[in-house]
Amino acid sequence: MLAIMIKGFILGWSVAWPPGPINTEMIRRGLTGGFWKAYVVGLGACTGDFLWALVVAAGVGAVLKEDWVRPILSVVSFSLLMYLAYTFLNGAWREWKKRMKGEPMAFDGKPQSAKAGYWLGLTMALVSPWNMAFWLAVMGSQSGEILTLLDSVILAISVVTGAATWGIVLSTAVKFGARFTTPAWEVITRALTGLLMLVFAVILIARFIESL
């Protein structure tokens, strides 16, 4: 059981720390709203990681690898990624127009919903091609082991613990760095996150075409 917990913790940390849209959004919200507004996005992502870990560890990952399932997953993921890209880029454009007109920007005090941040983190974790590839390839290759339902749940919880630990580290670092930011950072980080979503969508389509 200890070996399963250690493995899960390492897997959770490894899927959480690489640069990507989730970490970018955590940084953006942390710079404008503090520790909790950043960390709640990470908690949503942790929930997505938990679902992926539980599904793959329980053996369902084998079904998700079937040829007829992949096109469906690709279409759903691509659609959600494009929607998120539009949301972020549109938000950046609106904030930029406000800045040009001299109107108050979101950075100047408009609160960001913690609930919305949670659901955004969850959605990103579920549709990210990086996460999907990670769980189906890395964890899927390990799910050939005979795991009981209890072992699968422990593995999934350990994965979330690892990811949540990284979230604390990142959110804390962002909190201490927030004083060095300017209102323009809101526009820049939203635009970068939107562009990252577009890049992920392109990568997803490219990989899908290669698999045909």
Side-chain angles (χ1 to χ4, degrees):
M1 182 175 295
L2 180 60
I4 293 176
M5 294 173 65
I6 294 175
K7 178 194 297 182
F9 185 87
I10 294 174
L11 285 171
W13 185 278
S14 63
V15 76
W17 77 264
I22 294 173
N23 285 336
T24 302
E25 180 63 6
M26 288 178 68
I27 293 172
R28 186 184 75 81
R29 290 186 177 241
L31 291 174
T32 59
F35 176 89
W36 176 245
K37 292 298 175 65
Y39 192 54
V40 73
V41 177
L43 290 179
C46 285
T47 304
D49 290 337
F50 176 82
L51 294 175
W52 271 116
L54 190 58
V55 163
V56 177
V60 184
V63 176
L64 297 178
K65 289 182 179 180
E66 292 292 332
D67 292 337
W68 66 272
V69 176
R70 288 183 178 180
I72 298 175
L73 289 176
S74 297
V75 170
V76 172
S77 293
F78 179 78
S79 300
L80 289 172
L81 285 169
M82 292 301 294
Y83 171 76
L84 290 173
Y86 168 79
T87 300
F88 281 114
L89 292 175
N90 185 53
W93 174 246
R94 289 186 176 185
E95 293 301 324
W96 175 254
K97 288 196 297 184
K98 286 182 181 180
R99 181 175 174 80
M100 292 295 98
K101 293 179 181 179
E103 298 177 5
M105 298 176 64
F107 183 92
D108 297 315
K110 182 180 178 181
Q112 294 177 311
S113 168
K115 182 178 180 181
Y118 173 84
W119 286 108
L120 179 61
L122 172 61
T123 302
M124 284 195 205
L126 290 177
V127 307
S128 166
W130 160 252
N131 272 20
M132 189 181 299
F134 178 88
W135 296 118
L136 294 182
V138 179
M139 256 194 91
S141 64
Q142 300 181 44
S143 62
E145 303 174 13
I146 304 300
L147 295 177
T148 65
L149 178 59
L150 177 60
D151 288 340
S152 298
V153 172
I154 291 174
L155 178 62
I157 292 175
S158 300
V159 166
V160 170
T161 302
T165 302
W166 164 252
I168 292 175
V169 172
L170 178 60
S171 300
T172 301
V174 171
K175 176 183 178 181
F176 286 108
R179 57 174 161 248
F180 301 107
T181 63
T182 66
W185 189 255
E186 176 76 7
V187 176
I188 295 171
T189 52
R190 282 193 184 189
L192 287 176
T193 304
L195 291 174
L196 276 172
M197 292 295 176
L198 288 177
V199 170
F200 271 52
V202 171
I203 293 174
L204 178 65
I205 291 299
R207 288 179 177 175
F208 176 72
I209 293 175
E210 288 178 1
S211 67
L212 296 178

